[in-house]
Amino acid sequence: MPAAAVADGVTSLVQSPAMMAPAEQEDSTTTPKQKSINAGKGVSSRGRRERPCDACRKRKGKCVITDGQKSCAACAVHGQECTYIEDPQPRKRRLDNDAKDADGTKRRSTIAGLDGPITDFSMRTGSETNLMYATNDAPMHPKQEASQRPSQHHSTHIGPTTELEPMLLDLSSVNGNALPGDLYQKSDNRTAFLIDQNGFEGFKAANLTALGALERLVGSYGPLLMQLYLNFIHRNFPIIEEEFLLEYNNGRISNLDPALLASIYLLTMPWLEREMSRAASQLPDVYHLEDMAFRLFSDSLYKPTLSTIQAGILLLQRPNTDSKTLNSQLVGAAYEIGLHLDCSSWKSSAAEKKLRKRLAWALYLQDKWCSLIHGRPSVIYRSNWAVKVLTNDDFDSLQAVNEDAVRGQALFKEMVSLTEILSTILDTFYTLRAMQEVDDAVQGGTRLILERAKPVQIKLKEWFAGLPANLKIDDTMTGKPSSTGYLHLAYFATEITLHRCIIRSLESSNGDPYLAHICRSAAKTRLISAMDFVNRLRSEHLNAFWYFPSKVNFALIGTFGCLLLATAPCQEEVEFYRTRLAEYRWTLSVSSKTVSFLSFAVESLDSSSGLLHNLPRRPSTAQMTAQLAAMRPLQSMSPTKDGFMSEAGRLHLGSLPASDAGNPSASVSGLASPSTSTSSGSTTYEAYVEMFPTYRSR
């Protein structure tokens, strides 16, 4: 995307008061006199009778238009057309009891700098008790200002086995002061939180200082970095709430969390460097920005909020971030604020519950893919995960009118579904207990794996077949950046993870060539499909946002090819995989000029290939066929010790599928031809499992 196009797309952000210093933003427009002053600065003073645009009316939010702009701030944030077509809905008459409080004063909840009522994330005070059920995981205590965003509230989830008994806390006084210095909140009949009421003023002062330092560091590039985040990341990874984006666009930066804002700036720096590579002006110091972002995030872990989780997840999307330790810290912070719980029945706003669900599943993705790429046990267990499945209603309503945003929502949901299958694979085949069971089965280990793999493979097949048309890799050639590449890459990484344990187990299942043929044929088909997928990637895919495990997922394709090469039974198969791996390395090398993190996959492939230099030469397919022919008469006359013929003796070449009957070498190598990239036959290991009785470990 040219720099000029980016600049045109961010006019409203550049001309907004987003670059005001935090100290100046505290005096935002609240009085008519101040509004007239702001009007001279470029912000229109809108009367009460001026109608909002169609999108803002649906959202019931404030419609702000900067002078000289055709779109309001909200439509600019979401990249949608600002229209005035629909007729306004008739107003509903309020009952007197709803319009006034007990003292007769008009009820009005406002945020500093916003001269209209809050509809999303509104703070609600209970009429019967003094417990204040705020929008996030905690209510706002009396010392807090209304300008603090709900995702910045800190609370501690009270677990069912701690020294604090929820039933006793329920008996506390009606004002909710269950413990000194804390406020007790009951989100539903089972879930309870303690809210720390100490140190808010110092917390706010530290935030303002950090925000000032952050804005000085990024300078005038702040709005452009935010627009790049919206264009490349937010639509495909919607973990930031709408309110945050609108507050930034309206210049209320003092209300934002500095760790989250720094994470957004840092994550979008590669796109800024790409767009401004020829610019004469100096870009922000990325190393200084990175240091600030991680320091702010580390400080926020002391009292985590939803903003802490958002910032941590965004920081983990950087390809050079070591996510092993950081992921564990992030999951621990999420447990602290109850992100693993079902919030559907909580006394919270609908907007907050939507945010919690999206953020919870984003954390689930983070944990499972960290487990895969680092080879570590997962921190999140399904038995302690109560978050409901995502639906279309869990996304911001304004995004539903944008085609790119709709595709991004589908992308996020499909990634969650795929990750649940990956979690099943990791729990079924890669736990210490599961691997030990395969080892104990000795020669029956492969069959044990195949029986367990069959339902997983069916789920993968159904998942791929059920992908929406707008997520197909070849249906997104629109010239605009498309992140569907990381979804398909994750699918192939999941397939490869399933097949790796099967290929490894074949080493202990020697003596059954047909079994090896079936398994290796299926694995070869997956490898070739993955390599062909990488070959089909275009600039709109490479220049888009790639989910954090993509760097390793590209490398896993090469690693799997090296595994198949190292375990190849014949020399022709060895040479075939060497040729394909060389082609794959060339593709990665060319693409790495556009996407720098692909250099990691090239280096990983070189390391794996270096371990194969001393691989002994394998016999040819003709030699192996002769050996099998010589062994067959002996096997047909020699029963096994349990009185039955071995499977290798019964499954001779004549019992192979028709597609392989005329090619004896295929039964050994699983290749139709070393020079072709097609599958050697239609028989898969799922069909093989059905041909035999259920294996029972002894």
Side-chain angles (χ1 to χ4, degrees):
M1 184 169 56
V6 175
D8 293 338
V10 299
T11 306
S12 62
L13 283 173
V14 174
Q15 295 183 357
S16 72
M19 295 312 303
M20 294 168 56
E24 297 173 345
Q25 296 169 29
E26 289 185 287
D27 298 328
S28 300
T29 61
T30 55
T31 66
K33 180 179 180 180
Q34 289 172 319
K35 282 191 287 184
S36 64
I37 294 174
N38 251 5
K41 295 181 180 179
V43 179
S44 298
S45 177
R46 300 171 60 89
R48 292 178 59 88
R49 295 184 179 181
E50 263 191 84
R51 58 175 298 187
C53 70
D54 297 335
C56 289
R57 177 181 289 111
K58 289 181 180 179
R59 181 182 175 274
K60 297 181 181 179
K62 185 181 179 184
C63 187
V64 179
I65 299 181
T66 306
D67 284 345
Q69 302 301 315
K70 296 181 179 180
S71 297
C72 69
C75 292
V77 166
H78 295 283
Q80 65 189 52
E81 185 180 3
C82 194
T83 60
Y84 296 84
I85 300 174
E86 299 180 6
D87 294 328
Q89 297 295 323
R91 293 178 177 267
K92 294 182 179 180
R93 184 182 300 273
R94 281 188 175 185
L95 298 177
D96 292 341
N97 292 338
D98 294 335
K100 295 183 178 181
D101 288 326
D103 58 358
T105 59
K106 193 173 183 180
R107 186 187 309 179
R108 182 181 178 89
S109 178
T110 60
I111 288 179
L114 183 62
D115 56 347
I118 301 171
T119 53
D120 293 341
F121 300 106
S122 59
M123 308 300 176
R124 293 173 287 127
T125 304
S127 58
E128 297 180 357
T129 68
N130 290 333
L131 284 180
M132 302 169 64
Y133 293 101
T135 56
N136 199 13
D137 49 303
M140 187 181 69
H141 60 73
K143 293 182 181 180
Q144 287 178 321
E145 296 182 2
S147 60
Q148 189 186 17
R149 290 175 49 249
S151 57
Q152 295 175 275
H153 300 156
H154 168 69
S155 65
T156 300
H157 172 236
I158 303 176
T161 59
T162 68
E163 77 282 1
L164 299 176
E165 175 53 55
M167 292 186 66
L168 298 181
L169 294 173
D170 290 340
L171 301 176
S172 63
S173 59
V174 294
N175 62 10
N177 293 326
L179 295 173
D182 291 320
L183 185 67
Y184 172 61
Q185 173 194 344
K186 199 72 181 296
S187 294
D188 56 24
N189 292 331
R190 179 183 297 177
T191 308
F193 290 92
L194 284 180
I195 297 91
D196 184 10
Q197 301 187 79
N198 298 319
F200 172 70
E201 294 301 330
F203 169 81
K204 180 183 177 183
N207 271 9
L208 290 175
T209 301
L211 286 168
L214 177 61
E215 292 304 310
R216 287 192 297 271
L217 177 60
V218 300
S220 60
Y221 289 103
L224 180 55
L225 286 168
M226 180 61 72
Q227 186 63 45
L228 290 171
Y229 177 82
L230 295 174
N231 291 345
F232 288 94
I233 302 173
H234 178 66
R235 293 172 181 172
N236 302 297
F237 198 56
I239 67 169
I240 305 298
E241 68 272 30
E242 218 167 65
E243 189 75 6
F244 179 96
L245 304 174
L246 291 174
E247 287 193 357
Y248 182 92
N249 198 42
N250 291 335
R252 295 190 296 272
I253 296 182
S254 60
N255 297 342
L256 306 182
D257 183 85
L260 177 54
L261 187 59
S263 301
I264 291 175
Y265 286 160
L266 179 62
L267 187 57
T268 50
M269 276 299 297
W271 284 278
L272 179 65
E273 293 170 349
R274 191 178 306 159
E275 298 295 339
M276 300 296 179
S277 58
R278 299 180 181 179
S281 58
Q282 185 178 3
L283 297 178
D285 186 347
V286 66
Y287 297 105
H288 190 183
L289 180 58
E290 183 177 32
D291 179 71
M292 179 181 292
F294 276 94
R295 178 166 45 82
L296 290 171
F297 168 72
S298 179
D299 292 343
S300 69
L301 287 173
Y302 174 65
K303 290 185 176 181
T305 64
L306 287 185
S307 293
T308 303
I309 308 302
Q310 291 170 317
I313 291 177
L314 291 181
L315 288 176
L316 286 170
Q317 302 312 305
R318 284 178 57 81
N320 61 343
T321 301
D322 185 3
S323 56
K324 292 191 291 293
T325 304
L326 190 56
N327 176 71
S328 300
Q329 291 178 309
L330 203 58
V331 175
Y335 286 155
E336 178 81 359
I337 62 177
L339 201 60
H340 60 297
L341 304 174
D342 176 20
C343 64
S344 57
S345 62
W346 289 11
K347 302 177 181 69
S348 305
S349 68
E352 176 223 341
K353 289 186 280 190
K354 293 177 182 180
L355 173 62
R356 290 185 69 96
K357 285 184 67 176
R358 298 197 310 271
L359 195 54
W361 282 113
L363 183 70
Y364 182 88
L365 299 180
Q366 188 72 41
D367 178 63
K368 298 305 178 181
W369 286 99
C370 273
S371 177
L372 172 69
I373 66 176
H374 296 304
R376 300 288 190 270
S378 175
V379 186
I380 294 177
Y381 295 93
R382 190 65 190 178
S383 56
N384 281 318
W385 187 258
V387 184
K388 299 294 185 182
V389 177
L390 281 173
T391 65
N392 290 333
D393 295 334
D394 293 321
F395 296 88
D396 291 334
S397 58
L398 282 182
Q399 288 189 327
V401 300
N402 186 289
E403 181 180 353
D404 293 334
V406 171
R407 182 186 297 110
Q409 294 174 15
L411 175 66
F412 188 72
K413 289 195 302 180
E414 292 297 336
M415 188 65 179
V416 170
S417 299
L418 178 63
T419 304
E420 290 187 284
I421 300 177
L422 172 66
S423 178
T424 301
I425 293 174
L426 297 177
D427 293 341
T428 305
F429 304 103
Y430 287 96
T431 63
L432 295 178
R433 177 177 297 178
M435 291 187 290
Q436 187 60 51
E437 290 174 352
V438 173
D439 292 341
D440 293 342
V442 194
Q443 292 192 3
T446 301
R447 299 188 193 180
L448 178 61
I449 291 177
L450 294 179
E451 290 171 2
R452 295 177 176 179
K454 182 180 179 181
V456 180
Q457 184 62 45
I458 292 175
K459 287 183 180 179
L460 276 172
K461 182 179 179 181
E462 292 175 347
W463 178 89
F464 189 80
L467 278 179
N470 60 357
L471 295 183
K472 302 293 185 181
I473 195 65
D474 294 326
D475 290 343
T476 56
M477 300 297 189
T478 60
K480 296 187 295 184
S482 172
S483 290
T484 54
Y486 86 70
L487 177 67
H488 289 261
L489 178 63
Y491 163 73
F492 286 114
T494 305
E495 286 271 17
I496 286 173
T497 302
L498 178 60
H499 282 267
R500 285 177 77 178
C501 63
I502 298 174
I503 297 301
R504 290 172 184 169
S505 69
L506 291 176
E507 294 300 309
S508 60
S509 299
N510 49 7
D512 198 337
Y514 186 65
L515 174 63
H517 159 67
I518 293 295
C519 295
R520 293 189 66 84
S521 295
K524 167 180 167 287
T525 301
R526 269 63 173 187
L527 175 67
I528 293 173
S529 297
M531 289 180 170
D532 290 345
F533 154 76
V534 177
N535 287 332
R536 297 203 310 273
L537 292 176
R538 298 295 181 263
S539 59
E540 49 260 56
H541 301 120
L542 296 175
N543 290 323
F545 166 67
W546 287 86
Y547 192 47
F548 82 98
S550 299
K551 178 178 76 171
V552 179
N553 288 347
F554 277 108
L556 287 178
I557 297 175
T559 300
F560 189 51
C562 290
L563 174 63
L564 291 174
L565 189 155
T567 57
C570 64
Q571 191 61 30
E572 288 88 345
E573 189 172 348
V574 170
E575 297 302 327
F576 168 79
Y577 286 119
R578 278 180 178 164
T579 301
R580 291 308 301 254
L581 287 171
E583 295 172 355
Y584 183 63
R585 187 190 186 282
W586 181 86
T587 302
L588 291 177
S589 299
V590 173
S591 300
S592 64
K593 297 177 182 179
T594 303
V595 185
S596 59
F597 70 76
L598 287 179
S599 299
F600 173 83
V602 176
E603 296 171 0
S604 175
L605 180 55
D606 290 342
S607 299
S608 298
S609 300
L611 301 175
L612 300 174
H613 287 327
N614 298 324
L615 189 69
R617 185 173 181 83
R618 304 300 169 85
S620 65
T621 54
Q623 292 172 331
M624 296 189 67
T625 302
Q627 292 175 2
L628 287 176
M631 293 173 57
R632 194 176 304 120
L634 295 176
Q635 291 176 341
S636 62
M637 294 183 296
S638 303
T640 59
K641 62 181 180 180
D642 58 359
F644 294 94
M645 296 290 178
S646 68
E647 302 296 349
R650 290 202 302 265
L651 292 172
H652 52 78
L653 294 179
S655 64
L656 289 175
S659 59
D660 291 338
N663 184 11
S665 64
S667 65
V668 180
S669 67
L671 293 171
S673 169
S675 62
T676 182
S677 63
T678 59
S679 176
S680 60
S682 59
T683 305
T684 62
Y685 65 83
E686 298 99 317
Y688 177 82
V689 174
E690 296 176 350
M691 295 172 61
F692 295 97
T694 302
Y695 175 81
R696 294 180 175 84
S697 58
R698 298 171 183 174

